[in-house]
Amino acid sequence: MPVNLFPRLRIVSALLGAMILVSILPLLFSHIQLVRINRKALEISEEKYLSRSAVTLAADTGLYVKNIQTQLRKTSDALKLAGSIAPDKDPFRFLGQSELMADYVRTEPAFLVLRALDRDGQGSFVQPASIDPAIEAELTRCYNASMRGETVVGEPVRTELFPDGGFVASVPVVVTHSRQGVAATEIIGVVEAFVSLSPVKAWLADEKRRDVVAYIVDRRGNLLLASDPIAVPQKEPLQSVELVGEFIAHPVRMTKSYSRGTGENRRRVLGTVAPVDSPDWGVIVEKDEARAFASVSQMTKASSIGVAIALLFAIIVATLAARALSRPLIEMVGKVRQIAEGNFKQRVELRGTLELVELGETFNAMSDSLEKSVEKLKLAAKENQELFINSIRTLAAAIDAKDPYTRGHSERVARYSVVLARHLNLPAEEIKKVRISALLHDVGKIGIDDRILRKPTALTDEEFEVMKTHPVKGALIINQIPQLRDVIPGIKHHHEKWEGGGYPDGLVREGIPFMARIVTVADTFDAMTTTRPYQKAMALDYVVSRIRSFSGTRFDPVVIAALEKAYAMRDLEVVGEAARVLAVSA
């Protein structure tokens, strides 16, 4: 018996070992390599995402401050010009008496305090009835610095009246005199403002929905603003945070992993710091590593399970194949043993043609079995690839369906916009831009919470404020595509009103881009001719009459004239729910 078992075990073990070397080990090696490559790619992708967020926030913050300084310089230039035109009048007092400063502040809500002061500290003021002493002290400090010729961006100040905080910016008013042929400069006053940091805080707050914490520190490591103040531990000095310490020592952009907190609250985070060009601040974006690399863990787990199943299947197949292949050899050994025991009636042609052919046929059968196994593995890989592609398509379709009527709505608005553009005699290229702008006018709703988009009842004030951000979000999304930047005005301003009061910029009349005025009317037309959660589709003649009533108030009269012309010529083909309503009423 032992003599019979020993060769069988050797044959099965040899064949099984060969299959492991040929198929299982390469599969395992490929799995390890793919996991390593994919893990590194996902980690790099997450680091790039955080870096882009920090750089964008830093650039926006720096641009915001530069814009404030530019506006102050324009006011300074206006004072110099006024002084040269009417040297007998005090331009600093005239600026306040003429209500120009008050009008300017009303159109620019970022200015909480605006002053134009001469060298004696006298001039024009636009400010609250009472100013916190901390703000007054900062205004005085910046005024004195600008009187020495400096352009100043002060330290952020947060008060009870302005909880979001603000900073003082000041520029000197410098005039040039020519005395005996020699040019000389003289500082005759200062234009300064206390500017709100609310826009910057809003940008930081946008990062909360991406599971990240964004905050701004100065070069001393003091916290200035945070997307979520609760998420930035107050008991932990920010100077002790590794990334903040790196920024204090070397204000350059960097991304790294480090520890936050102490004791049980200690955790690893992935963070990026990006310096602001001016002022000397740094924007830091952090995300817990567990969340940042969650996709890495999921990928590794799913891949490992798949490979484990494949390995188990390969071992089972290899074992069965090895036993099947060894059976003819065992039978041959039995016949040889019978001959050795003296049973000479058994004839085994060890070198005969028949045995060699049978051995070759057995080898070919084994080869066929291996080929079928490989084909099965290829088929399984193909099915997995198709499943992956279909999953990506499903994800894209889910994003497109965030708003239940967005796709059909955008198609209809584009159709109506093209009709209006044709009746406005726009060139073909402009009509094309109008159509694309109308198709993409609601793309910013991708960034709006589903609970707001799908809410069947009226939105609260807070929810409506969130909804009002979708034109700007859409413009930012499309701005990443250079070829589509010409259509951004129609996307960003399709909620502006002809006489003002719209959003996001409150533009008025011809200040509203023409394509946006067209999309606005087409958008309203489709909203009234389709059934919504809060209204039923209206008849076409009523819709045209109702929209006409807002000509010159909400809508551009020129576009309304085009709408009436299209309606009169029966060129305004209504589609969707409105078409069914008209059919029933007819």
Side-chain angles (χ1 to χ4, degrees):
M1 196 65 168
V3 176
N4 293 333
L5 290 176
F6 182 71
R8 182 179 299 173
L9 291 175
R10 285 187 61 191
I11 292 172
V12 171
S13 299
L15 291 175
L16 185 60
M19 291 221 174
I20 289 175
L21 290 174
V22 171
S23 61
I24 298 177
L25 286 181
L27 179 63
L28 185 60
F29 177 78
S30 298
H31 163 68
I32 293 173
Q33 289 295 102
L34 287 174
V35 168
R36 183 182 63 81
I37 293 172
N38 289 338
R39 181 184 181 89
K40 187 64 177 178
L42 289 172
E43 291 176 351
I44 292 175
S45 176
E46 188 66 30
E47 291 174 359
K48 287 182 177 179
Y49 165 74
L50 290 181
S51 179
R52 284 196 301 269
S53 296
V55 170
T56 300
L57 289 171
D60 289 345
T61 301
L63 188 61
Y64 178 69
V65 175
K66 288 181 180 178
N67 181 56
I68 295 299
Q69 291 177 323
T70 299
Q71 294 183 63
L72 293 180
R73 289 191 184 98
K74 289 181 179 179
T75 304
S76 172
D77 293 340
L79 287 170
K80 289 189 289 184
L81 180 60
S84 63
I85 295 175
D88 57 328
K89 292 185 179 181
D90 183 352
F92 293 90
R93 296 182 183 275
F94 172 76
L95 194 61
Q97 294 170 353
S98 64
E99 295 294 324
L100 291 176
M101 284 182 63
D103 292 340
Y104 186 73
V105 171
R106 278 193 291 270
T107 60
E108 184 55 72
F111 288 99
L112 305 176
V113 174
L114 182 61
R115 294 178 174 180
L117 307 177
D118 59 19
R119 59 168 63 91
D120 297 324
Q122 302 299 314
S124 301
F125 305 78
V126 177
Q127 60 190 37
S130 61
I131 300 180
D132 190 278
I135 298 176
E136 187 64 55
E138 186 67 7
L139 285 166
T140 301
R141 185 185 70 82
C142 293
Y143 168 83
N144 292 332
S146 290
M147 284 301 298
R148 295 191 296 270
E150 300 175 16
T151 296
V152 182
V153 175
E155 298 292 336
V157 178
R158 185 179 291 107
T159 66
E160 184 176 349
L161 183 60
F162 304 119
D164 289 341
F167 63 93
V168 174
S170 63
V171 298
V173 181
V174 183
V175 296
T176 303
H177 302 290
S178 179
R179 297 174 180 174
Q180 299 179 352
V182 179
T185 60
E186 178 184 8
I187 299 174
I188 64 171
V190 172
V191 178
E192 63 178 1
F194 181 68
V195 185
S196 173
L197 281 171
S198 295
V200 180
K201 185 176 181 181
W203 299 334
L204 297 178
D206 282 345
E207 298 298 320
K208 289 175 60 178
R209 55 190 175 83
R210 302 184 180 95
D211 291 330
V212 301
V213 177
Y215 55 95
I216 299 177
V217 298
D218 60 18
R219 283 296 303 280
R220 298 188 298 276
N222 297 319
L223 178 65
L224 305 182
L225 282 174
S227 61
D228 185 0
I230 299 177
V232 182
Q234 302 298 316
K235 296 182 180 179
E236 180 185 3
L238 286 179
Q239 293 83 348
S240 65
V241 176
E242 187 174 347
L243 193 60
V244 177
E246 293 280 0
F247 170 73
I248 294 173
H250 307 286
V252 295
R253 187 177 70 186
M254 67 181 70
T255 301
K256 64 186 306 182
S257 296
Y258 50 96
S259 297
R260 286 293 304 267
T262 57
E264 296 180 353
N265 296 324
R266 189 178 183 84
R267 68 192 191 283
R268 295 288 297 178
V269 299
L270 179 66
T272 293
V273 61
V276 179
D277 289 339
S278 176
D280 205 6
W281 299 345
V283 176
I284 296 177
V285 177
E286 291 179 341
K287 189 173 186 179
D288 285 349
E289 276 193 352
R291 293 183 177 179
F293 299 146
S295 58
V296 176
S297 301
Q298 293 172 359
M299 179 274 298
T300 303
K301 182 178 179 181
S303 178
S304 298
I305 292 174
V307 170
I309 294 174
L311 289 176
L312 180 61
F313 176 76
I315 291 173
I316 293 174
V317 171
T319 301
L320 295 176
R323 288 180 179 177
L325 292 173
S326 66
R327 193 173 294 113
L329 294 178
I330 293 174
E331 293 176 357
M332 186 181 67
V333 170
K335 292 181 179 181
V336 172
R337 187 178 293 112
Q338 289 181 13
I339 293 175
E341 291 175 352
N343 187 358
F344 299 105
K345 295 181 179 181
Q346 300 292 327
R347 296 291 185 267
V348 177
E349 297 292 335
L350 297 178
R351 299 181 181 179
T353 304
L354 181 60
E355 288 76 11
L356 291 176
V357 172
E358 289 177 351
L359 185 59
E361 292 175 348
T362 302
F363 178 80
N364 290 337
M366 181 187 68
S367 299
D368 291 341
S369 178
L370 287 174
E371 185 177 1
K372 290 178 181 179
S373 298
V374 171
E375 288 299 324
K376 288 180 180 179
L377 291 175
K378 288 182 178 179
L379 179 60
K382 182 179 179 181
E383 290 175 350
N384 288 337
Q385 180 67 16
E386 291 176 353
L387 178 62
F388 175 76
I389 296 299
N390 289 335
S391 298
I392 295 299
R393 289 174 177 167
T394 301
L395 178 60
I399 294 174
D400 192 39
K402 280 173 69 68
D403 188 331
Y405 77 93
T406 293
R407 183 173 183 179
H409 168 69
S410 297
E411 292 286 350
R412 295 191 298 273
V413 171
R415 178 178 299 184
Y416 302 146
S417 297
V418 168
V419 171
L420 295 176
R422 287 172 179 167
H423 282 276
L424 287 165
N425 298 319
L426 294 184
E429 187 63 28
E430 290 301 315
I431 293 176
K432 178 181 177 181
K433 292 179 183 179
V434 168
R435 181 178 184 274
I436 296 173
S437 178
L439 281 172
L440 298 174
H441 76 284
D442 276 342
V443 70
K445 289 184 178 179
I446 292 175
I448 302 299
D449 196 310
D450 286 352
R451 292 175 297 177
I452 297 176
L453 285 177
R454 299 177 180 271
K455 187 175 181 181
T457 58
L459 301 180
T460 64
D461 291 345
E462 292 78 9
E463 291 170 337
F464 185 61
E465 288 300 319
V466 174
M467 180 65 78
K468 285 167 62 176
T469 64
H470 80 269
V472 175
K473 292 180 184 291
L476 291 175
I477 292 171
I478 301 304
N479 190 52
Q480 306 305 311
I481 308 174
Q483 294 82 354
L484 294 180
R485 286 176 181 168
D486 288 343
V487 306
I488 289 177
I491 297 170
K492 185 176 181 181
H493 299 294
H494 71 276
H495 279 293
E496 303 285 1
K497 297 179 181 179
W498 180 249
E499 288 196 342
Y503 61 88
D505 296 330
L507 302 181
V508 178
R509 296 177 179 269
E510 285 77 8
I512 304 171
F514 195 42
M515 71 171 61
R517 291 179 245 163
I518 296 173
V519 175
T520 298
V521 174
D523 189 25
T524 304
F525 181 84
D526 183 67
M528 296 179 70
T529 56
T530 54
T531 295
R532 305 292 183 89
Y534 48 83
Q535 71 172 30
K536 291 184 178 180
M538 305 173 193
L540 179 57
D541 56 349
Y542 173 78
V543 171
V544 174
S545 174
R546 184 63 175 165
I547 292 178
R548 184 192 303 120
S549 68
F550 290 106
S551 176
T553 55
R554 292 183 60 181
F555 306 122
D556 182 355
V558 174
V559 180
I560 298 303
L563 175 72
E564 293 180 318
K565 181 179 177 183
Y567 173 62
M569 297 178 64
R570 299 183 181 277
D571 196 20
L572 196 62
E573 180 184 358
V574 182
V575 295
E577 186 68 21
R580 292 193 290 275
V581 170
L582 290 174
V584 171
S585 63

